[in-house]
């Protein structure tokens, strides 16, 4: 698979950490030029330096971010930036709900609106949307996250339908719990809240619905993303691929 993305440019949001960083590294290893978008300039800079790409500092919760994105042609978009907030609906701050929707649903729409015409002109494009098992299933106390991921699933299908005749595909990748900063901090929070050991949080709470009882590594997600971006992904569009250790088989 080495070098099969040579000549392609991949814009990865949330590229400074976790799954985004793993995707940036993997796509660069396949030959792509990486545009590493993150609100954290330091981590985006590190990933850009490491991958020989360009750091783009942008806060996706501000819809004006789209005007500051690079003007160069983009062939691959990995919509990955996101964050979590856990609270029952009656206590969920509306401004946090709105911010999650902006970063995880509206920003991917604005990015598609910005780069689809160029992809159509070149008759090739890939959208890989990092959804979640929560794009397919709900959990209590995650109203904004579940709503935003379900919205992203819908957007991905529409991009697939509109883009098909122009050589553009769009898919969702739906991981269960991945070993990233986002999950490490949730483990700490839950261990504190329940007064239990970190291992118990992982085994008894996070992995309870999954058949395979381990966290996924970001590199495993990035491998599927690279597959979808390469030539073997040509006919895979409009679908969501769970990478959830059997969670949604139930
Ligand atoms: P992470 O916290 O390690 O990385 C998220 C990155 O997004 C960070 O670099 C952060 O700075 C960036 N980001 C957040 N808000 C931003 C904003 N407003 N503007 C620009 N950048 C912003 O998280 P992760 O676990 O790698 O998650 C990446 C994606 O994968 C998210 O969409 C998440 O919902 C999804 N996901 C994660 C898991 C998991 O278990 N970790 C499971 C399923 C799906």
């Amino acid at each position: 698979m080495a070098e099969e993305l040579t000549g392609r440019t991949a814009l990865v949001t949330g590229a400074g950490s976790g799954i985004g960083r793993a995707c940036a590294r993997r796509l660069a290893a396949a030959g792509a030029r990486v545009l590493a978008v993150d609100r954290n300039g330091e981590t985006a800079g590190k990933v850009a330096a490491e991958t020989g790409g360009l750091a783009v500092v942008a806060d996706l919760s501000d819809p004006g971010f789209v005007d500051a994105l690079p003007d160069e042609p983009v062939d691959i978009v990995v919509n990955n930036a996101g964050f979590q907030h856990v609270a029952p609906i009656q206590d969920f701050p509306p401004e946090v709900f709105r911010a999650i929707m902006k970063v995880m649903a509206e920003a991917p729409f604005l990015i598609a609106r910005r780069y689809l015409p160029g992809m159509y002109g070149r008759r090739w494009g890939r959208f890989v949307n990092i959804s979640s098992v929560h794009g397919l299933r709900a959990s209590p106390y995650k109203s904004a996250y579940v709503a935003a991921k379900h919205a992203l699933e819908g957007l991905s299908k529409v991009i697939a339908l509109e883009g098909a005749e122009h050589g553009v595909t769009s898919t969702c990748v739906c991981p269960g719990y991945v070993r990233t900063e986002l999950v490490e901090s949730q483990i700490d929070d839950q261990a504190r809240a329940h007064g239990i050991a970190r291992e118990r949080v992982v085994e008894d709470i996070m992995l309870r619905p999954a058949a395979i009882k381990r966290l996924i590594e970001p590199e495993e997600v990035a491998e599927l993303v690279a597959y979808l971006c390469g030539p073997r992904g040509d006919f895979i569009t409009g679908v969501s691929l769970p990478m959830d250790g059997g969670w949604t088989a139930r």
Side-chain angles (χ1 to χ4, degrees), residues 13-21 37-40 43 58-62 79-84 99 103-104 130-134 145 149 152 173-183 186 215-216 218:
T13 69
S17 171
I19 297 169
R21 181 173 53 207
V37 180
D38 208 290
R39 70 177 162 190
N40 184 328
T43 57
D59 181 348
L60 273 54
S61 66
D62 170 8
N79 281 311
N80 164 79
F83 62 101
Q84 178 64 277
V103 173
M104 289 161 52
I130 308 300
S131 177
S132 163
V133 72
H134 285 114
Y145 190 90
K149 292 299 191 191
L152 182 63
V173 171
C174 306
Y177 284 103
V178 188
R179 193 188 308 281
T180 67
E181 283 81 342
L182 186 145
V183 161
Q186 276 189 57
L215 299 176
I216 315 164

Side-chain angles (χ1 to χ4, degrees), residues 157-239:
K157 289 177 196 169
V158 175
I159 295 172
L161 296 183
E162 293 186 13
E165 66 184 287
H166 306 282
V168 174
T169 66
S170 178
T171 48
C172 284
V173 171
C174 306
Y177 284 103
V178 188
R179 193 188 308 281
T180 67
E181 283 81 342
L182 186 145
V183 161
E184 294 289 348
S185 67
Q186 276 189 57
I187 297 173
D188 290 334
D189 291 348
Q190 297 223 32
R192 253 192 314 274
H194 296 280
I196 58 175
R198 294 180 96 253
E199 302 72 50
R200 293 248 345 259
V201 172
V202 175
E203 283 162 29
D204 299 351
I205 300 175
M206 292 184 163
L207 297 180
R208 194 168 40 83
I212 299 177
K213 302 291 185 189
R214 69 165 176 83
L215 299 176
I216 315 164
E217 301 300 328
E219 291 72 24
E220 295 180 86
V221 180
E223 202 56 42
L224 178 55
V225 171
Y227 183 95
L228 292 168
C229 292
R232 284 169 291 271
D234 273 355
F235 208 68
I236 308 175
T237 196
V239 291

Side-chain angles (χ1 to χ4, degrees), residues 125-149:
R126 293 278 196 271
F127 282 80
V128 182
N129 302 295
I130 308 300
S131 177
S132 163
V133 72
H134 285 114
L136 308 170
R137 296 286 187 277
S139 287
Y141 314 130
K142 296 185 175 176
S143 54
Y145 190 90
V146 170
K149 292 299 191 191

